[in-house]
Amino acid sequence: MYRHGVGATALVVLGVVLACSTSRQLPDSGWPPDAAGEPNVDVVGRWHDCTSSTTYAPDGSMRWRDHRRGCASSGRWAVVGSWLHVEGQASACGPAYRAVSRVVRTPHALVTVDPETGRARTRWNDATPRALWLLTEADRATVLRVVGEPGDGTGVGCYWSADGACGGLLSCSGWVDRWRREDDRLVASTACGGGCPCGAELVGRFVAPDRIEGTYRGANCEMPYTGTFTAILQPDPMD
């Protein structure tokens, strides 16, 4: 979730909007000023990126689940024109927060834009294919999740070490640039940033619908590396 400060006026309005979230009415103060006359964007549904799922229920309640950390939080939401207001409760995921963002709904995705930083975040709808894989090699394990098809603008993917530290394959964590099945063959690539950027290519074969066996090779700022992996399809986390 985006977490950023908003001005005092915005916070007052947010409290009014969230208290009456099911009414979807423009606050009396008129904030934001350019929302008057705009139709409210429909955000109701469940939306996914590679690390989390967010549910906006018709009654104005919200549920957010962090698949990487295995925690969840609840809250309230409201839409005024193209502005999405959310208020999350304190939980194992972190402290309580409030946020306001511009929101656009496409046929398959929900895009929110932080008005202060311009950073955009895309979440795909519940009908978008999702897969959660556990990649293992000896005593090391990495969790990899893809939503849609990364690499062509219709999806996203990322990975992280199963031990919550850096005991996995490839790197501590990173993103999936490509994850494509061609008949019984997998072609994929990953990358990571930070102080030691890295990249890897994975080639595998589907020996069963829920099992891939393959090899990977990559390089980071220190050295090249290679290995073999077995990937087992896991149940997709549901809220």
Side-chain angles (χ1 to χ4, degrees):
M1 304 291 295
Y2 288 128
R3 303 181 183 182
H4 58 270
V6 294
T9 302
L11 288 177
V12 171
V13 173
L14 179 59
V16 174
V17 174
L18 291 170
C20 307
S21 61
T22 57
S23 68
R24 311 290 188 265
Q25 296 298 311
L26 186 70
D28 292 339
S29 66
W31 191 93
D34 59 350
E38 285 187 23
N40 290 347
V41 177
D42 180 10
V43 302
V44 171
R46 191 164 64 157
W47 308 91
H48 309 270
D49 59 24
C50 64
T51 60
S52 66
S53 297
T54 304
T55 301
Y56 299 116
D59 65 356
S61 62
M62 179 187 71
R63 179 79 169 170
W64 179 69
R65 176 169 291 278
D66 186 321
H67 302 304
R68 178 171 177 175
R69 292 185 292 165
C71 61
S73 65
S74 301
R76 304 290 296 175
W77 69 272
V79 166
V80 181
S82 60
W83 292 91
L84 172 64
H85 306 245
V86 299
E87 182 178 72
Q89 301 173 355
S91 69
C93 293
Y97 63 92
R98 292 176 174 179
V100 180
S101 58
R102 281 281 194 179
V103 62
V104 176
R105 181 168 180 167
T106 74
H108 306 292
L110 199 69
V111 182
T112 53
V113 180
D114 186 320
E116 294 183 357
T117 66
R119 180 184 177 190
R121 182 172 186 174
T122 302
R123 300 178 179 89
W124 280 264
N125 65 16
D126 213 32
T128 304
R130 302 181 300 279
L132 181 73
W133 295 92
L134 181 65
L135 281 63
T136 59
E137 180 186 25
D139 59 348
R140 298 187 296 158
T142 284
V143 179
L144 185 149
R145 188 169 189 253
V146 292
V147 179
E149 188 163 314
D152 65 356
T154 60
V156 66
C158 55
Y159 66 89
W160 56 90
S161 296
D163 64 359
C166 290
L169 293 66
L170 309 176
S171 67
C172 301
S173 63
W175 60 91
V176 179
D177 286 328
R178 181 174 56 161
W179 185 271
R180 180 167 298 177
R181 179 173 182 172
E182 301 171 351
D183 297 324
D184 66 345
R185 187 168 178 261
L186 170 73
V187 178
S189 60
T190 64
C192 72
C196 185
C198 66
E201 294 182 349
L202 297 83
V203 177
R205 185 172 65 88
F206 284 81
V207 297
D210 60 352
R211 184 184 180 93
I212 307 168
E213 294 181 356
T215 61
Y216 65 89
R217 60 173 183 161
N220 55 29
C221 61
E222 297 177 349
M223 62 181 181
Y225 53 86
T226 61
T228 62
F229 71 90
T230 298
I232 304 296
L233 187 64
Q234 306 295 301
D236 190 58
M238 302 293 283
D239 205 359

